[in-house]
């Protein structure tokens, strides 16, 4: 099997697509749907290590990098897309040999990921004047009497 993955040019989006592939593959292996990516990998780590221990280390590097990108807002390194796509392809090949994926299902899945929808567009919301009011607790209080700071009478 030769897994094909195409880039869109958006490094963060491409990286998150790779992570999505890893997450779904781990769930297919029996990882719980709830939980973080690290918890999912930890749940199936023993089974993966018996098949390919080097792959498990590469997947942990992807998990650590994903956490840095998402939580610490670090930019996605240039080389991670090529090494990450190779790691994900290696994982998918391994899973196809274990009959977790069929090739036709996997190719459909990859095609769906290629056309993954982008972010929702910005939408302007106009607040009408009738809705733009102060909260009730502010409206009900009496305002203090404001006295001018200067004497405008002009007298000395």
């Amino acid at each position: 099997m030769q897994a094909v993955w195409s880039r869109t040019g958006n490094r963060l989006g491409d990286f998150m697509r790779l992570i999505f592939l890893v997450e779904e593959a781990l769930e297919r292996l029996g990882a719980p749907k709830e939980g973080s990516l690290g918890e999912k990998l930890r749940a199936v780590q023993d089974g993966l290590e018996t098949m390919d221990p080097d792959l498990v280390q590469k997947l942990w590097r992807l998990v650590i990098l994903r956490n840095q990108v998402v939580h610490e807002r670090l930019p996605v390194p240039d080389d991670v897309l090529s090494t990450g796509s190779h790691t994900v392809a290696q994982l998918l090949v391994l899973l196809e040999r274990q009959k977790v994926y069929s090739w036709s299902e996997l190719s459909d899945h990859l095609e769906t990921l290629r056309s993954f929808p982008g972010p929702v567009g910005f939408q302007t919301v106009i607040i009408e004047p009738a809705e733009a009011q102060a909260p009730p607790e502010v409206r009900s209080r009496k305002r203090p009497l404001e006295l001018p700071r200067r004497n405008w009478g002009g007298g000395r």
Side-chain angles (χ1 to χ4, degrees):
M1 173 182 91
Q2 173 120 10
V4 179
W5 176 74
S6 63
R7 296 183 187 177
T8 62
N10 178 354
R11 286 195 316 205
L12 179 61
D14 291 342
F15 180 69
M16 294 312 291
R17 284 180 181 87
L18 281 177
I19 296 300
F20 180 74
L21 275 172
V22 170
E23 193 167 2
E24 173 153 343
L26 295 176
E27 289 173 2
R28 290 278 183 106
L29 279 173
K33 291 197 180 284
E34 299 80 30
S36 67
L37 184 61
E39 291 169 346
K40 291 177 183 184
L41 181 55
R42 197 172 298 115
V44 297
Q45 180 175 355
D46 293 337
L48 280 175
E49 278 184 343
T50 59
M51 293 183 259
D52 191 353
D54 184 45
L55 178 64
V56 173
Q57 296 304 317
K58 290 177 185 178
L59 289 173
W60 274 116
R61 279 185 240 134
L62 272 179
V63 169
I64 291 168
L65 183 61
R66 181 248 178 222
N67 291 341
Q68 290 173 343
V69 167
V70 171
H71 300 298
E72 298 173 18
R73 300 187 187 259
L74 292 178
V76 177
D78 292 331
D79 63 332
V80 79
L81 292 178
S82 59
T83 58
S85 61
H86 185 282
T87 301
V88 172
Q90 199 176 357
L91 175 66
L92 295 177
V93 166
L94 184 69
L95 295 182
E96 195 236 352
R97 288 182 189 150
Q98 299 298 321
K99 305 295 183 203
V100 175
Y101 281 108
S102 66
W103 171 242
S104 61
E105 178 186 18
L106 186 59
S107 65
D108 291 343
H109 186 64
L110 290 173
E111 184 61 36
T112 302
L113 283 175
R114 278 191 212 104
S115 61
F116 198 73
V120 178
F122 179 76
Q123 186 177 14
T124 305
V125 177
I126 300 172
I127 300 175
E128 298 294 327
E131 297 174 15
Q133 297 178 357
E137 62 272 4
V138 175
R139 279 185 270 151
S140 62
R141 282 189 276 154
K142 282 189 164 183
R143 292 184 56 177
L145 182 62
E146 296 178 17
L147 298 173
R149 294 186 183 157
R150 249 192 243 182
N151 182 2
W152 292 100
R156 290 187 185 198

